[in-house]
Amino acid sequence: MVPSRSGRLINRHPGPAAGRLLALVPFALLLVAYAIGSEIRLSENPNDKLLPSFTALSDAVERMAFEPDKRTGDYLLWVDTVASLSRLIGGVALATLLGTAIGISVGLIPYARRTMSAFIAVFAMIPPLAVLPILFITFGLGEVAKVVLIVFGIAPFMMRDLAMRVAELPSEQLVKAQTLGASTWHIAWRIVLPQMLPRIIDTVRLSLGSAWLFLIAAEAIAAQSGLGYRIFLLRRYLAMDVILPYVFWITLLAVVFDFVLRRYQTWAYPWFAAARAPG
Amino acid sequence: MTEVSVRNLWMEYGDQIVLERINFDVPAHSFVSLVGPSGCGKSTFLRLLLSQENATRGQICVDGEPLLPNPEPDRGVVFQKYSVFPHLTALENVLIGLEFERGGFSGRLHGRAKRNAQAEAMQYLEGVGLADAAQKYPSSLSGGMQQRLAIAQALIKKPRILLLDEPFGALDPGIRSEVHDLMLRLWWETKMTVFMVTHDLREAFYLGTRVIAFDRVRKREEELERYGATIAFDTPSDPAPFVTELATAEAAE
């Protein structure tokens, strides 16, 4: 069936080429709006810092990414990126391990569910940023506190989400596995975990936004490097020419992660698309 | 050869009595069809046979021994849906029964042991006509193929009893009669005892050597909670012509 291109608005569908073009329109509009705004402000005051020109932005990128810092000799953008990503990946990986182990136990084993689910529900309500000072006091100002904040922020959600996904598995599967001679451990290892792996990717994708939030918050408060640290440091000098590319860079990284995870999910778990579809 | 006897079985959920006074004996190598209106407890009875739930009172004995309290490999099952594992290929779905048994803690086989088990699993896939689909995931199999796969998966454990919960209910008529004949052949070859819950009376009489109907004896509104369903009728059924053919062929050999 070819989608209609006339008639009522709800029945009209853009073609593939038009669809791609339409998707670009908001981005293009934003760029144009920025260019106009920047032009107006700079024509009034050439020293205006709020909306730097594209030339100023690219100069700043050149300086941060491709020239060694005058004081330390580091290429700051890359140093910051490596620092931030290792914290982010460490935190997300740790939270995923915890979330998977506890989520599957809680979803599969009634005793674990009764023991843990109320605790996790209450724990998840603690605002992570409110305990950040405690983490800094306990773990010092180094890397550990930042990784722990990310874990603290996203692990409870991951546990609950996965416990729910496990509980959604049809009980027929668990009974069938038992009639095939499976022990509880066999069921967890061969039936539940492999079916959870693609769902864990969904959970990680959903958690990444929060993980970035907690990372940047922790870096803003106490760090010597990192993307969040740099942004908050340069804020004092109103250095929008650096802050804007940094924000753009963080966004780009987040988009790439999301894309890679989604691609990996379809590639590694070809059975999952059909299993996820309802009915 | 497995004989099943049900003695004064009651099943209650809180105040609600679902089944009461269920008594019958089934000789070895029977094909028992369980029928009855919705909510008459026939699926509950199947869950009791499976030890998915345990009876409030009374017991079910297999060859004189009471059932173990959990689902075990001596009783295979095919459900109407979700019987096969979506994350495993057809071959892996059949193989996994052997892997649980022989694979130790990890429930996985490797090397020669795996190849031997795969060869064994392939025989069962061939037995249900799915050899060509061995590497496919269940989602790319048709409904009939998925049910045949579920049957092969159950049979590799050589269960003494096979439980079928409306296994053919979702299949097209043509496919259904194909799977019927397959089921009869496997039942005949393995000498299992089969219990099948079905809504379809024709199917019940065609496949079964015995048809047992569950129903409530008391049906007044205020009595529904306190009186459960019991056996309303219990009748032998002639084996399908296909079974007679199988028997004749076997005798000729």
Side-chain angles (χ1 to χ4, degrees):
Chain A
M1 197 186 73
V2 179
S4 163
R5 290 191 193 161
S6 58
R8 281 191 201 92
L9 198 53
I10 56 162
N11 295 326
R12 291 169 67 176
H13 298 268
R20 245 169 275 138
L21 204 66
L22 282 174
L24 287 177
V25 167
F27 294 103
L29 283 179
L30 182 65
L31 267 183
V32 170
Y34 182 90
I36 295 172
S38 171
E39 190 62 41
I40 293 172
R41 286 189 70 102
L42 287 174
S43 65
E44 281 170 15
N45 172 11
N47 292 324
D48 181 68
K49 292 203 148 198
L50 192 64
L51 297 178
S53 69
F54 289 116
T55 337
L57 290 173
S58 82
D59 286 349
V61 171
E62 179 76 31
R63 204 167 64 241
M64 298 306 287
F66 305 110
E67 285 168 16
D69 182 53
K70 289 195 187 73
R71 196 165 57 80
T72 59
D74 290 331
Y75 292 84
L76 290 178
L77 179 68
W78 308 116
V79 171
D80 288 336
T81 304
V82 168
S84 284
L85 285 191
S86 48
R87 290 164 191 151
L88 185 81
I89 292 170
V92 171
L94 209 61
T96 306
L97 282 178
L98 266 176
T100 306
I102 296 180
I104 289 183
S105 315
V106 168
L108 189 60
I109 300 168
Y111 271 92
R113 178 155 55 239
R114 294 301 290 176
T115 313
M116 295 295 292
S117 62
F119 181 72
I120 296 172
V122 171
F123 201 80
M125 293 297 166
I126 303 174
L129 289 179
V131 296
L132 185 56
I134 304 177
L135 298 181
F136 280 139
I137 293 167
T138 319
F139 298 109
L141 299 177
E143 300 302 302
V144 182
K146 299 175 188 71
V147 172
V148 172
L149 177 71
I150 295 173
V151 173
F152 200 99
I154 64 176
F157 160 75
M158 294 181 118
M159 290 172 196
R160 297 174 80 185
D161 191 57
L162 279 170
M164 271 165 58
R165 300 286 91 82
V166 173
E168 277 169 11
L169 287 179
S171 65
E172 284 92 337
Q173 281 191 17
L174 305 186
V175 174
K176 179 87 188 202
Q178 292 179 68
T179 67
L180 298 177
S183 64
T184 299
W185 168 254
H186 282 153
I187 291 175
W189 182 242
R190 298 264 357 239
I191 305 300
V192 178
L193 178 65
Q195 293 194 70
M196 286 306 122
L197 292 176
R199 293 170 169 94
I200 289 169
I201 292 178
D202 281 339
T203 310
V204 168
R205 284 178 58 202
L206 286 174
S207 305
L208 270 174
S210 316
W212 276 108
L213 167 72
F214 296 126
L215 173 73
I216 289 171
E219 288 180 343
I221 293 171
Q224 279 83 48
S225 62
L227 298 166
Y229 161 75
R230 193 70 54 198
I231 292 177
F232 276 80
L233 182 74
L234 294 174
R235 185 189 60 109
R236 296 177 204 162
Y237 314 113
L238 296 179
M240 286 293 271
D241 56 340
V242 177
I243 294 176
L244 285 176
Y246 260 65
V247 172
F248 179 78
W249 176 235
I250 293 173
T251 311
L252 187 69
L253 288 173
V255 170
V256 168
F257 282 170
D258 193 65
F259 178 79
V260 168
L261 283 171
R262 209 170 29 162
R263 276 303 169 91
Y264 177 74
Q265 186 186 45
T266 23
W267 174 79
Y269 307 102
W271 51 270
F272 184 60
R276 176 157 57 177
Chain B
M1 291 292 174
T2 307
E3 213 177 274
V4 177
S5 66
V6 180
R7 287 282 163 271
N8 198 30
L9 200 70
W10 290 68
M11 186 61 188
E12 301 171 11
Y13 296 105
D15 275 346
Q16 171 142 33
I17 300 174
V18 177
L19 290 172
E20 62 177 70
R21 290 175 290 124
I22 308 286
N23 280 292
F24 63 91
D25 290 280
V26 170
H29 197 205
S30 300
F31 197 125
V32 183
S33 299
L34 303 170
V35 298
S38 301
C40 70
K42 54 189 191 301
S43 287
T44 303
F45 180 72
L46 204 76
R47 284 200 293 277
L48 294 176
L49 268 176
L50 197 53
S51 302
Q52 192 179 347
E53 291 172 28
N54 299 125
T56 317
R57 259 175 285 162
Q59 63 179 5
I60 301 174
C61 290
V62 174
D63 288 338
E65 296 287 322
L67 286 183
L68 295 167
N70 280 274
E72 304 291 346
D74 60 340
R75 283 154 284 151
V77 66
V78 175
F79 295 107
Q80 182 173 14
K81 277 170 101 178
Y82 309 123
S83 271
V84 292
F85 303 116
H87 64 298
L88 301 176
T89 62
L91 181 61
E92 288 167 339
N93 259 294
V94 181
L95 185 66
I96 199 166
L98 298 177
E99 290 193 303
F100 287 144
E101 181 187 324
R102 303 175 192 167
F105 191 62
S106 73
R108 272 182 198 282
L109 293 170
H110 304 280
R112 177 189 296 259
K114 178 160 190 177
R115 283 194 297 279
N116 290 343
Q118 275 175 336
E120 208 173 318
M122 268 315 281
Q123 285 173 9
Y124 281 84
L125 275 183
E126 279 161 20
V128 297
L130 286 181
D132 293 338
Q135 302 306 329
K136 289 188 175 168
Y137 286 103
S139 56
S140 54
L141 301 179
S142 69
M145 290 163 94
Q146 287 188 24
Q147 290 309 76
R148 284 188 279 156
L149 176 60
I151 294 168
Q153 185 186 39
L155 290 186
I156 203 165
K157 299 303 287 183
K158 302 191 171 62
R160 299 194 293 169
I161 301 176
L162 185 64
L163 305 168
L164 308 173
D165 194 355
E166 301 188 32
F168 315 123
L171 306 183
D172 294 336
I175 306 288
R176 193 193 272 221
S177 73
E178 248 173 58
V179 185
H180 279 166
D181 287 353
L182 172 72
M183 192 63 240
L184 286 173
R185 182 167 59 73
L186 294 170
W187 166 69
W188 187 259
E189 288 169 3
T190 56
K191 308 295 178 210
M192 308 176 281
T193 295
V194 176
F195 286 87
M196 175 182 70
V197 165
T198 178
H199 270 119
D200 180 346
L201 280 178
R202 273 238 305 246
E203 177 177 84
F205 279 94
Y206 177 72
L207 291 178
T209 56
R210 181 169 171 184
V211 177
I212 295 180
F214 287 66
D215 203 0
R216 291 169 183 277
V217 186
R218 304 198 184 220
K219 293 184 173 174
R220 284 180 23 216
E221 190 78 31
E222 64 275 21
E223 291 171 333
L224 281 180
E225 280 242 320
R226 297 303 298 158
Y227 293 90
T230 191
I231 293 179
F233 75 82
D234 180 349
T235 175
S237 158
D238 292 330
F242 183 62
V243 173
T244 328
E245 281 169 35
L246 289 172
T248 329
E250 198 177 85
E253 278 176 28

